[in-house]
Amino acid sequence: MSGAARGTEGAVDERGNPFWTYDSPTGPLEITINRAKPEKDPRDIAAADRSDVASCDLCWEASREDGPAHLRRSGAPVTEVALGGEPWAWWFSPYGYFPEHLIVASHEHRPMAIGHDTIARLLDFSDAYPQWFIGSNTDLPIVGGSLLGHDHFQGGGHRFPLMDAPIARAFPIEGLEGVEAGIVRWPASVVRLRSRDRSALAEAACRVLDAWRPFSFEECGIRAFSLVPDDGREGAVSASGALASPARFVQHNTANPILWREGGDYVMDLVLRNNRTTPERPFGLFHVPERLFHIKKENIGLIEIMGRAILPARLAAELPAIKDECSRAFYEILMATGVFKDDAAGRRGWETFLATI
């Protein structure tokens, strides 16, 4: 795998965290080791009680007399904003993964959800603060970042590598000639939409989401849903071909929507994600390969899918010896998240998916 790590020896970001860039085959990536962020196990993230307001870092209801834990740590002021006709608020993150790192959270404690309302809220935020990008983690375990229990976005003043990635192939969306659409040249699988017309862009984004949620393509390992019996064995069947026990449908397809402004245009990237597991890949078929867990084990969320690695603090002691290893691993991790790989099967998958939009 080609590429090289670049950066001054001992270089750090504005927070004092090790930082360098990596010239990957699809363009530069940003690598950071964050000394402040606690490392989480993906299984703990998935198992967390999403209804537990008391332990939620993002809750800021007036009933909590001492305020959200997230804000108590940072001392950051809160600014209220209406998104989709609902009360939300934003503040600067105490972790500060990039310049002007914002957290934007719903008043209501409710689980993450990606849908048409998400697109409308992102557009409302962009209209109110066009100087910042705004984006969302997904709403499913494994691919959903580190906090799934409270509906929230992240944004800020940084220009991420994904935002500079070019279009590899343009495609039309019927009836929306005012929207430019294309597949982005990026290790993950990304649809980009661009338009000056807010309502046309919103309709295009909703069409992509609606097409992706039920989409399956076995050649690429993509299943929109799985039947999971009560015994937990995905797709288990009896000798007669019937399900071995009562089952439930589990959804696998979701997306990271990311929005920013360029001149008079709205630009939205929709990163297609899938959280399916298999017996061979129990942590996720499109997750970090287990042989790279010594570099990164935690979920790959919004920031990293955009090209900025947030690696665990334990790696700092091994620099600079492992700089190239970390860089190559991050590029491989991004490729692992891609539902349509850069091969013949992936190209057939893209063709089949685009035909459904």
Side-chain angles (χ1 to χ4, degrees), residues 205-344:
C206 291
R207 280 202 209 175
V208 173
L209 282 177
D210 290 349
W212 174 241
R213 283 288 194 180
F215 182 80
S216 293
F217 193 76
E218 284 289 348
E219 192 176 357
C220 292
I222 301 168
R223 289 183 187 172
F225 302 94
S226 287
L227 280 170
V228 181
D230 288 345
D231 60 14
R233 293 179 296 143
E234 183 174 320
V237 294
S238 68
S240 67
L243 284 165
S245 63
R248 58 191 171 90
F249 282 102
V250 176
Q251 188 173 47
H252 296 311
N253 288 348
T254 183
N256 295 115
I258 304 151
L259 178 67
W260 69 97
R261 306 289 283 276
E262 290 184 0
D265 291 343
Y266 296 93
V267 184
M268 176 168 282
D269 279 356
L270 291 160
V271 188
L272 308 181
R273 309 293 300 275
N274 179 286
N275 79 340
R276 180 187 169 200
T277 62
T278 66
E280 299 75 25
R281 296 291 302 278
F283 284 88
L285 186 59
F286 301 99
H287 184 57
V288 182
E290 291 186 41
R291 59 184 173 76
L292 296 178
F293 277 10
H294 66 293
I295 299 293
K296 176 75 174 180
K297 184 177 185 179
E298 195 174 359
N299 301 12
I300 301 303
L302 175 69
I303 295 169
E304 291 180 301
I305 211 70
M306 297 176 72
R308 187 178 180 95
I310 311 294
L311 300 181
R314 57 182 166 79
L315 296 174
E318 301 181 60
L319 291 176
I322 63 167
K323 181 181 285 188
D324 284 336
E325 181 183 2
C326 289
S327 301
R328 290 192 297 269
F330 181 53
Y331 180 68
E332 187 174 347
I333 287 166
L334 283 180
M335 288 195 297
T337 69
V339 293
F340 301 120
K341 309 300 187 197
D342 187 17
D343 56 21

